[in-house]
Amino acid sequence: MEVSLEAINKSFGSVRVLKDVSLHFPSRKFVTLLGPSGCGKTTLLRMIAGLETVDSGLIRFGDKVVNQLAPRDRNIAMVFQSYALYPQMSVRQNLAYGLRVRGTPKAARAEAVERVARILEIENLLERRPAQLSGGQRQRVALGRAMVRKPDIFLMDEPLSNLDARLRITMRAELRRFHLDLGATTVYVTHDQLEAMTMSDHVAVMNSGMVQQFGTPAEVYGRPANLFVAGFIGSPPMNLMPGRIEAENGVPVFANEQSRVPLRHLTQRLQVGQHVVLGARPQDLHLASSTDEASAHGRVWVVELVGSEKLVDIDLGGKRRIAVQVRADAHVREDDPVHVRIDPAQVHVFDASTERRVFEAA
Amino acid sequence: MMSWDFLWRHTGRAVIFVTLCGLTFVVCFPLVWALSTSLKPKTEIFATPPTLIPKAPTFENYAALVTGRQQYFQSGGQQVDTGATPAQFFTRWFLNSLVVTLGSTLISIVVSTLAAYSLTRFRYWGRTFVPYFSLLGYMVPSIIFVFPLFLMMVRLELTDTLLSLVLGYVSITLPFCMWLMWAFMRSIPIEIEEAALVDGATRMQVFRDVVLPTALPGIIAAAIFAMIVSWNDYLFGRVFLNSLDNLTLTVGVMLFFEGTHVDWGLLMAACVLMTVPMAFLFMGLQRHLVAGFGAGAVKG
């Protein structure tokens, strides 16, 4: 079942939480709404669920407008951040409740519960109450409750945020597998970019009630549409350096006090004097041995070892620092003078006033 | 040699223990004495020295109350005016108290639970201050309400009926019950209701299957409060009722004091019988007050 959102608006009092949001979620895909807290992603999810009214705009499931449909008539399932298990019911009753209120015969109900319990490996917990379960077990029961009805659309509101780090990593893979097995359209809300990148077919990056970019994880990471996406996606975060465009032999060059980067591939797109922000991921920067191939110079401010890599913070002077990721065995020490090579093909250029990406000529 | 710390800790405990024993004694002694007196034959009640445990225990006082035997009241050496005696009406009053208590509690609970649900779950004008105002009403002594209410009952031609008393009790218990339920309902996470809505339940199903079971400890607390207020009230019963047939226990038992002769054994037996239902109710329900409140519904 595909889901379309057309020009959705929503205000709480005088606060506009969603501004003209339009999105199209293809059928059977795993789509993530990603953004910082307060960006409206959960509100949007609750609207799809029917738990929140829509001020203006249309929500369609397939061809059908569902704005006025009650949650129970939408054939959706939802996993809540807090799990929201029914405290006075056993796990078995929790799983069966959706089928019970929909009038599924007892035998079919029992069969469905057994099937889901087997998949989620919670067969031995069926007689327990939610209070007697660990966080991970509750999470599974919440998932099971959503799976048992074979919904068209599977909604998840930060389902992993209450789990410890290790369990989160295993559950990530499991959720992705469940999605593939269920064959439902999944809409997943998170503020964790790692979850979004690893699990999704498509990511909608949101900020202050607007969709900033909608695309595959590779697109969102590789070609961020604006400064917000560039800064939000990627860890460690992208280096962002403000500067101006100058011309050198007819080629536009990004320039500020600390660095110069020729931008040959953007010749048609940039004007001399234009204020821009240059973005470069720490992974795409290199330490250079000689001055001539380098685009910036500075002094090592701090070196952080992060497992197989080192993150080198370099002070370029003028209170400006950039981070460069190098292999863990590289010899870099604090206060060493270093040269940084910025590969023009790997940088992202954003217009400083519109904050939009300057795209390469098609 | 004992250290100061050791001594200090143990003396502290001893002091607390003795204080609690003293308090328990003060609270329980009247009840124990009432029970003791109710089991004594007449000859033993004024015996000196007084006995705590009756030498010749008898259930004749209880039998008299339960069967409403008139002659018993006239026995005991003195001749008291014949005609209606309190003992004859005891079972009737007991029944009246029961009817009035259960009636007013039921109304209070049903209305306050629904009201609290509405106040916490729907958005409309006034939902934020109504609960506080309801509490304000409870802070005014009921003597202030009783006469206006009585006048209303006169208008409604309900005086001297059990219904008037039921309504009167509802008027004092409902606001507090509603406040209690409101505070309780606020603590029930709304997600579990939303989960039920998404699962396919209607509003009424959500209320019945999810809200009510979760709110049960609150409902029991409110019900205990309403029952105690209604069962123990004297003022409303005294003002609203007058025919012997319609009295409640509290008002009726006062009649045992009338005249020159007070049958203490009978009176104490009546008191014990009045206390027993509430005591058992409380003992039976108190574990529900805390048990399993919302546990495990959300987060970990």
Side-chain angles (χ1 to χ4, degrees):
Chain A
M1 181 75 78
E2 47 180 38
V3 179
S4 311
L5 310 172
E6 293 167 26
I8 303 288
N9 281 290
K10 176 77 182 176
S11 302
F12 290 124
S14 59
V15 185
R16 281 188 75 187
V17 285
L18 290 172
K19 300 164 194 163
D20 280 323
V21 171
S22 294
L23 284 168
H24 178 83
F25 305 153
S27 187
R28 292 168 170 252
K29 294 293 184 196
F30 194 115
V31 184
T32 299
L33 303 176
L34 172 68
S37 50
C39 72
K41 55 191 190 301
T42 295
T43 308
L44 197 59
L45 190 80
R46 289 170 56 82
M47 284 175 160
I48 299 172
L51 295 171
E52 208 77 67
T53 55
V54 180
D55 287 356
S56 72
L58 291 177
I59 299 176
R60 286 179 211 271
F61 291 177
D63 296 327
K64 195 168 152 202
V65 175
V66 296
N67 284 37
Q68 300 301 323
L69 284 187
R72 63 195 302 256
D73 300 322
R74 296 188 182 202
N75 198 22
I76 48 166
M78 186 159 171
V79 177
F80 290 80
Q81 182 173 11
S82 56
Y83 315 143
L85 302 179
Y86 312 126
Q88 68 291 331
M89 296 187 200
S90 67
V91 169
R92 185 187 297 281
Q93 291 166 324
N94 261 284
L95 292 176
Y97 185 72
L99 298 172
R100 205 181 90 203
V101 290
R102 282 165 201 268
T104 312
K106 208 169 179 181
R109 234 151 62 195
E111 198 189 351
V113 168
E114 294 293 340
R115 177 179 57 84
V116 168
R118 213 166 35 242
I119 297 172
L120 291 169
E121 295 167 18
I122 49 173
E123 294 133 301
N124 54 334
L125 306 175
L126 285 176
E127 305 312 324
R128 292 207 199 159
R129 297 276 177 107
Q132 300 165 301
L133 302 177
S134 71
Q137 291 169 334
R138 284 178 205 178
Q139 165 75 55
R140 282 167 179 275
V141 177
L143 270 176
R145 193 173 59 179
M147 285 165 63
V148 79
R149 280 188 291 112
K150 300 195 173 139
D152 291 332
I153 299 163
F154 210 170
L155 307 174
M156 297 196 234
D157 186 5
E158 310 221 13
L160 304 184
S161 60
N162 289 324
L163 301 180
D164 62 64
R166 269 185 65 168
L167 195 53
R168 213 178 295 168
I169 294 171
T170 16
M171 285 308 290
R172 240 163 39 199
E174 290 196 16
L175 283 181
R176 174 75 193 166
R177 194 61 242 176
F178 290 149
H179 162 75
L180 297 174
D181 294 343
L182 271 176
T185 308
T186 301
V187 184
Y188 187 97
V189 162
T190 184
H191 63 267
D192 182 341
Q193 49 157 318
L194 204 58
E195 281 175 23
M197 303 306 264
T198 50
M199 298 160 72
S200 322
D201 296 308
H202 298 277
V203 180
V205 184
M206 295 183 65
N207 189 36
S208 52
M210 287 183 291
V211 177
Q212 306 289 324
Q213 187 171 6
F214 182 64
T216 64
E219 284 167 352
V220 171
Y221 182 85
R223 291 160 65 86
N226 57 34
L227 268 180
F228 175 80
V229 179
F232 191 74
I233 304 280
S235 172
M238 187 186 278
N239 295 297
L240 295 170
M241 298 168 277
R244 279 159 59 101
I245 297 299
E246 293 172 4
E248 204 175 86
N249 309 326
V251 173
V253 173
F254 167 85
N256 64 14
E257 287 162 24
Q258 293 84 23
S259 49
R260 287 181 75 79
V261 183
L263 300 168
R264 192 168 284 111
H265 62 299
L266 293 172
T267 309
Q268 310 293 315
R269 301 277 160 170
L270 296 165
Q271 274 105 46
V272 173
Q274 186 178 353
H275 288 268
V276 294
V277 175
L278 187 81
R281 297 198 184 278
Q283 295 89 335
D284 297 335
L285 296 177
H286 309 278
L287 296 184
S289 48
S290 66
T291 323
D292 28 304
E293 57 177 301
S295 330
H297 315 279
R299 190 173 286 279
V300 176
W301 189 64
V302 108
V303 180
E304 295 166 279
L305 180 67
V306 274
S308 57
E309 276 96 29
K310 270 179 185 163
L311 195 61
V312 186
D313 261 324
I314 297 165
D315 188 356
L316 298 179
K319 290 192 175 172
R320 203 162 289 288
R321 284 203 292 271
I322 60 170
V324 178
Q325 192 168 303
V326 297
R327 288 169 54 113
D329 54 6
H331 287 284
V332 218
R333 274 174 316 189
E334 271 94 350
D335 294 327
D336 282 353
V338 285
H339 315 291
V340 181
R341 181 158 56 84
I342 302 174
D343 181 355
Q346 306 267 29
V347 299
H348 311 266
V349 182
F350 304 93
D351 184 277
S353 54
T354 64
E355 303 197 344
R356 293 224 181 95
R357 180 187 187 86
V358 179
F359 279 96
E360 301 79 359
Chain B
M1 178 164 161
M2 282 188 289
S3 68
W4 280 111
D5 184 50
F6 179 87
L7 259 180
W8 176 247
R9 248 184 313 141
H10 283 258
T11 349
R13 279 188 164 208
V15 168
I16 291 172
F17 187 75
V18 170
T19 314
L20 288 180
C21 282
L23 276 175
T24 311
F25 179 77
V26 168
V27 171
C28 290
F29 185 74
L31 289 174
V32 174
W33 191 251
L35 184 67
S36 157
T37 308
S38 71
L39 291 171
K40 286 174 187 168
K42 279 187 201 335
T43 45
E44 203 183 329
I45 289 176
F46 293 106
T48 37
T51 49
L52 187 60
I53 296 164
K55 281 184 193 125
T58 168
F59 282 100
E60 59 180 359
N61 290 319
Y62 291 98
L65 287 175
V66 174
T67 57
R69 226 168 38 221
Q70 188 179 353
Q71 61 274 28
Y72 182 83
F73 191 66
Q74 295 173 335
S75 72
Q78 302 175 47
Q79 277 297 316
V80 177
D81 185 28
T82 51
T85 59
Q88 277 179 293
F89 288 94
F90 187 80
T91 45
R92 177 71 201 230
W93 294 338
F94 197 94
L95 203 67
N96 287 347
S97 271
L98 215 57
V99 166
V100 168
T101 300
L102 292 181
S104 64
T105 304
L106 191 72
I107 295 175
S108 281
I109 291 305
V110 169
V111 175
S112 66
T113 308
L114 289 170
Y117 184 68
S118 153
L119 283 169
T120 53
R121 295 299 188 252
F122 300 108
R123 287 177 199 158
Y124 49 82
W125 189 86
R127 77 199 156 90
T128 45
F129 60 79
V130 164
Y132 296 102
F133 271 86
S134 72
L135 202 58
L136 205 67
Y138 184 65
M139 288 169 186
V140 181
S142 45
I143 187 94
I144 293 183
F145 290 127
V146 71
F147 294 106
L149 275 175
F150 179 68
L151 293 178
M152 285 164 76
M153 294 305 164
V154 171
R155 281 278 176 84
L156 293 168
E157 296 179 6
L158 285 177
T159 47
D160 199 23
T161 62
L162 293 182
L163 182 60
S164 71
L165 214 50
V166 169
L167 293 177
Y169 292 154
V170 166
S171 76
I172 48 173
T173 56
L174 179 62
F176 185 73
C177 286
M178 194 181 80
W179 181 79
L180 203 69
M181 289 312 299
W182 171 77
F184 202 87
M185 290 268 186
R186 275 205 308 178
S187 68
I188 298 178
I190 193 148
E191 286 100 329
I192 62 174
E193 289 172 47
E194 291 178 338
L197 283 176
V198 170
D199 254 352
T202 59
R203 271 268 170 210
M204 276 322 282
Q205 281 173 324
V206 171
F207 190 74
R208 190 193 64 201
D209 299 341
V210 177
V211 179
L212 279 187
T214 317
L216 199 62
I219 293 175
I220 289 173
I224 286 180
F225 164 80
M227 282 190 194
I228 289 176
V229 167
S230 313
W231 186 264
N232 291 347
D233 170 77
Y234 176 76
L235 183 65
F236 280 61
R238 182 84 195 139
V239 175
F240 286 10
L241 307 173
N242 45 37
S243 53
L244 275 175
D245 266 345
N246 284 341
L247 297 188
T248 52
L249 269 182
T250 42
V251 184
V253 165
M254 279 304 286
L255 298 182
F256 282 91
F257 282 112
E258 282 180 3
T260 49
H261 174 88
V262 178
D263 189 332
W264 288 101
L266 210 54
L267 178 60
M268 289 302 130
C271 289
V272 170
L273 286 180
M274 261 175 85
T275 314
V276 162
M278 282 297 120
F280 273 96
L281 186 82
F282 202 78
M283 283 195 292
L285 289 182
Q286 66 162 350
R287 77 190 170 87
H288 291 287
L289 285 178
V290 279
F293 155 51
V298 296
K299 293 203 175 157

